[in-house]
Amino acid sequence: MLNKTDDQNADAAPGMGADPLHPCGQLVQTHLIEIFKEKYRIPLITSSILSVIVVVLLRNAVDWNLLAGWLVVLNVSNFARLVYFARIAGRPSDHGNLLHFANRYTIAVALNGLLWGLAGVLFFPPDMPEYQVFLAFVIGGLVAGAAANYAAWLPAFYAHTVPSVVPLAIRFMTEGREVSVAMGIILLLFTMAVYVIARNSNNSYRHMAELQVGRSLLIKRLEQANRAKTEFLSSMSHELRTPLNSILGFGQLLCDAAVEVPREKQFRFAGQIVKSGQHLLDLIERVLELSKAETGRLQLKLEPVSITDIIGDCVGMMTAEAKERKIALFNELGATDLPLAFADRARTRQVLLNLISNGIKYNRDGGIVTLTAEEAAGAAALRIVVRDTGSGIPAAKWDQLFEPFNRLGREAGEIKGTGIGLTISKQIVEQMNGRIGFESSEGQGSEFWIELPRAPDDD
Ligand code: ADP
């Protein structure tokens, strides 16, 4: 079974971009690659223009065939890059396509960096310091350009910088003269400084992308909450109307002087009115309870309580309902004595009754619901588990399970409910300093658990 605790439902917070495997990290990465993609033509054009300037300027200092060959290879590869990436840049901007673009582009950048690195070594005129300085300027300038263009996607910055700068720096340092060694060191220092700038820009881009992702998640959540409230109001009005109609119908029959109602029928009608009134009251109480739970106004009496007793009570209370649904309800704990928990007895019972009731409601005919409990968290807590053999919960809906009014698509189904039970349970358990979680496997069943702190020992 796959596992999920309510802690894991926590919103992606600062630093969500750190892990690209996290769905939010993936969204941040998508934003970053989009920024990177916007500028993919600029470095190609710059590289081509600079290559022509280099060849023209060095024509008297370096072998012409070497220069021409390099110029052709660099520009053909640049042109091929332009055509290839124009084609794949047009694909839909989903994460997979963007990552494919970024990875391929990084490889192309590395090749281009290598060609510039080769220029640094092959065109290095040993006795002409002015040309050496010129080469250093060109390669350094390209590094600065890489920082500006590739800051959103640092792998491309590294792919350009390392193969283009390192060969020239080595060439300077092996030249032997003091000034050349100094030039090599300066080139490396300059590259490091540019690297720091690129990293800072990357952090800013990342922060911006995180804010943007956070904002769209928030908007999505607000829209969801709004939709859920609207759905809840409409389902509530439906739920309220049914008992109200029944009360009015039977009440009118009793009031209508023109209709002679036999005495025993009058009792039956009155009984129906009382039943419907009770149901109405239940509904209203649940809604009030939710509002109290959400605002932390629940009255709790925390004291040492016996989990064994509470489970026994709950199983006793739910046996009839289980039988009606042809579900076998087992108390695996039996009379086993566990350490006492520090909790509110009635609220713990309420949470367990909700979990058992769900285990029965969302089970199959002839299914099983099992209750058990054990020590947990290194004996600092007690864990109560309610296991069922029902329909399970699809992994895609796990995040919504504790959301108020969310019935995970069962709104139109036959099984009655309001979608508030688990929300209230979570609030109650947390206010008792406990935790709630679940494991579920679609088609096989679910296992809901709560953990309550252990009561302090007497002595
Ligand atoms: P309700 O049962 O009134 O709809 P809950 O808050 O108790 O509200 O549960 C929310 C939703 O979670 C349910 O509508 C159901 O879709 C799903 N759910 C809860 N418990 C289970 C379970 N044991 N097995 C399968 N689905 C469940």
Side-chain angles (χ1 to χ4, degrees):
M1 281 198 184
L2 296 157
N3 187 11
K4 184 102 168 80
T5 74
D6 61 302
D7 298 344
Q8 286 166 284
N9 286 331
D11 292 350
M16 62 188 161
D19 177 8
L21 294 178
H22 190 282
C24 288
Q26 207 174 71
L27 287 175
V28 170
Q29 194 179 58
T30 304
H31 273 274
L32 290 175
I33 300 176
E34 266 172 351
I35 298 169
F36 164 68
K37 198 176 103 177
E38 267 170 28
K39 301 179 181 169
Y40 81 94
R41 289 189 191 88
I42 304 169
L44 290 170
I45 296 164
T46 322
S47 163
S48 290
I49 294 173
L50 275 176
S51 69
V52 175
I53 297 175
V54 165
V55 167
V56 171
L57 261 163
L58 294 179
R59 68 189 182 284
N60 297 324
V62 181
D63 175 37
W64 171 247
N65 287 335
L66 200 60
L67 284 173
W70 176 83
L71 185 72
V72 169
V73 172
L74 188 114
N75 281 287
V76 166
S77 82
N78 274 354
F79 183 70
R81 227 168 110 190
L82 201 63
V83 173
Y84 176 71
F85 287 106
R87 205 161 56 83
I88 67 169
R91 291 182 187 163
S93 289
D94 58 59
H95 182 257
N97 279 340
L98 284 170
L99 197 62
H100 176 78
F101 176 93
N103 288 336
R104 292 285 163 104
Y105 197 86
T106 305
I107 296 171
V109 167
L111 286 175
N112 192 264
L114 209 62
L115 283 172
W116 280 103
L118 268 178
V121 177
L122 296 177
F123 305 161
F124 194 89
D127 302 318
M128 297 177 172
E130 70 275 24
Y131 287 128
Q132 296 171 5
V133 172
F134 166 69
L135 269 178
F137 255 93
V138 171
I139 299 231
L142 280 168
V143 170
N149 293 308
Y150 304 148
W153 185 245
L154 283 181
F157 173 76
Y158 305 135
H160 171 84
T161 306
V162 175
S164 66
V165 171
V166 171
L168 181 61
I170 294 175
R171 186 70 187 81
F172 267 123
M173 299 210 207
T174 51
E175 183 59 6
R177 282 183 299 140
E178 216 174 45
V179 67
S180 304
V181 175
M183 277 298 292
I185 292 173
I186 289 169
L187 184 63
L188 287 179
L189 285 176
F190 172 77
T191 307
M192 300 257 286
V194 174
Y195 161 74
V196 173
I197 294 170
R199 257 219 96 80
N200 288 344
S201 313
N202 181 270
N203 283 340
S204 308
Y205 279 133
R206 189 172 289 273
H207 186 60
M208 214 169 70
E210 282 176 1
L211 286 178
Q212 220 162 1
V213 169
R215 206 188 57 167
S216 24
L217 283 178
L218 197 69
I219 292 175
K220 217 159 120 190
R221 236 166 248 152
L222 283 174
E223 282 171 356
Q224 246 173 18
N226 199 22
R227 236 189 344 260
K229 290 257 180 208
T230 312
E231 274 166 21
F232 171 73
L233 284 179
S234 83
S235 80
M236 270 306 283
S237 59
H238 173 80
E239 295 278 328
L240 292 174
R241 209 175 293 137
T242 317
L244 258 179
N245 278 339
S246 154
I247 291 171
L248 283 176
F250 287 114
Q252 262 159 9
L253 278 177
L254 287 176
C255 287
D256 205 340
V259 185
E260 266 298 309
V261 185
R263 202 169 160 68
E264 93 279 357
K265 262 196 175 176
Q266 285 181 14
F267 275 121
R268 204 155 49 79
F269 290 171
Q272 286 292 350
I273 291 172
V274 171
K275 224 163 109 186
S276 301
Q278 194 62 51
H279 181 57
L280 258 181
L281 196 65
D282 275 359
L283 268 174
I284 290 163
E285 268 171 3
R286 294 208 88 189
V287 177
L288 289 178
E289 180 123 292
L290 175 68
S291 119
K292 268 192 193 167
E294 282 192 327
T295 49
R297 285 183 289 120
L298 283 177
Q299 298 280 331
L300 293 175
K301 187 173 165 224
L302 298 179
E303 58 185 343
V305 291
S306 159
I307 294 299
T308 311
D309 289 354
I310 292 179
I311 291 185
D313 291 351
C314 291
V315 170
M317 282 188 229
M318 296 303 288
T319 303
E321 194 177 319
K323 218 177 221 166
E324 211 174 288
R325 273 285 330 270
K326 301 187 180 65
I327 307 284
L329 180 58
F330 291 118
N331 177 358
E332 262 185 10
L333 185 69
T336 314
D337 236 349
L338 282 175
L340 299 179
F342 197 64
D344 181 300
R345 191 185 312 272
R347 294 295 181 187
T348 309
R349 211 181 279 146
Q350 179 186 349
V351 170
L352 281 188
L353 288 176
N354 182 43
L355 297 183
I356 301 170
S357 161
N358 280 350
I360 295 171
K361 274 200 302 190
Y362 303 110
N363 218 316
R364 56 181 162 80
D365 277 351
I368 301 168
V369 174
T370 318
L371 265 94
T372 187
E374 62 196 6
E375 287 184 45
L382 291 140
R383 176 184 275 228
I384 310 171
V385 183
V386 181
R387 197 177 305 128
D388 68 61
T389 54
S391 51
I393 298 153
K397 295 185 173 168
W398 287 356
D399 286 353
Q400 306 159 31
L401 191 66
F402 293 96
E403 281 175 7
F405 319 125
N406 197 334
R407 298 205 65 217
L408 312 184
R410 291 188 189 267
E411 292 73 11
E414 284 195 345
I415 306 171
K416 285 220 155 34
T418 51
I420 348 181
L422 285 177
T423 317
I424 297 177
S425 298
K426 183 172 182 291
Q427 299 275 1
I428 293 174
V429 171
E430 284 174 358
Q431 283 177 40
M432 293 194 296
N433 308 312
R435 300 196 311 144
I436 185 166
F438 66 96
E439 295 177 9
S440 191
S441 176
E442 210 179 341
Q444 288 182 34
S446 310
E447 191 175 296
F448 279 81
W449 54 262
I450 61 169
E451 266 180 26
L452 298 170
R454 186 180 164 160
D457 290 329
D458 276 347
D459 40 66

